[in-house]
Amino acid sequence: TTSITYYDKYNNVVESGNVGTGSKIVININGTDIEYTISILGDVTGDGIVNIADVIKVADHTIHQNILVNDYELKAVEVTGDNIINIADVIKIADYTLDNSISLF
């Protein structure tokens, strides 16, 4: 038998709603769990929405360093493709919040 369970970033089972960074999908196949943690580009706060809160969190990380410590957050932040978290990522996420037609890829 196979079952799929979705958990939010606080490990609460979710029946419906936004998928956010840090959420998990657990697939159970014949008693064996396979777990995937989700990273959504730009969604650093994990609420499933890219907005000003994400911009602030990324900006804070670039100023103070190491605010983001989870791999899934670090993957969500790196929207410029240069493997460096810096002001360029902040600007791109901010631009996206103003104009959702801009791609974060």
Side-chain angles (χ1 to χ4, degrees), residues 81-97:
D82 61 2
N83 294 319
I84 302 167
I85 298 172
N86 58 25
I87 193 68
D89 298 293
V90 176
I91 291 168
K92 192 162 186 182
I93 294 170
D95 286 347
Y96 180 82
T97 64

Side-chain angles (χ1 to χ4, degrees), residues 54-67:
D54 299 295
V55 175
I56 292 168
K57 195 165 184 179
V58 176
D60 217 22
H61 178 81
T62 62
I63 294 167
H64 301 294
Q65 296 300 312
N66 301 323
I67 303 264

Side-chain angles (χ1 to χ4, degrees), residues 22-83:
S23 299
K24 295 179 183 142
I25 295 174
V26 177
I27 303 170
N28 183 285
I29 302 172
N30 297 324
T32 302
D33 285 343
I34 303 168
E35 183 177 297
Y36 298 95
T37 302
I38 298 168
S39 291
I40 298 176
L41 287 176
D43 175 35
V44 186
T45 60
D47 61 2
I49 303 166
V50 179
N51 58 26
I52 193 66
D54 299 295
V55 175
I56 292 168
K57 195 165 184 179
V58 176
D60 217 22
H61 178 81
T62 62
I63 294 167
H64 301 294
Q65 296 300 312
N66 301 323
I67 303 264
L68 307 173
V69 295
N70 297 313
D71 285 343
Y72 54 83
E73 289 176 329
L74 295 169
K75 287 178 185 173
V77 161
E78 213 322 274
V79 296
T80 58
D82 61 2
N83 294 319

Side-chain angles (χ1 to χ4, degrees), residues 5-17:
T5 308
Y6 167 60
Y7 297 90
D8 65 15
K9 67 180 183 176
Y10 305 107
N11 289 321
N12 299 312
V13 174
V14 176
E15 297 296 326
S16 65

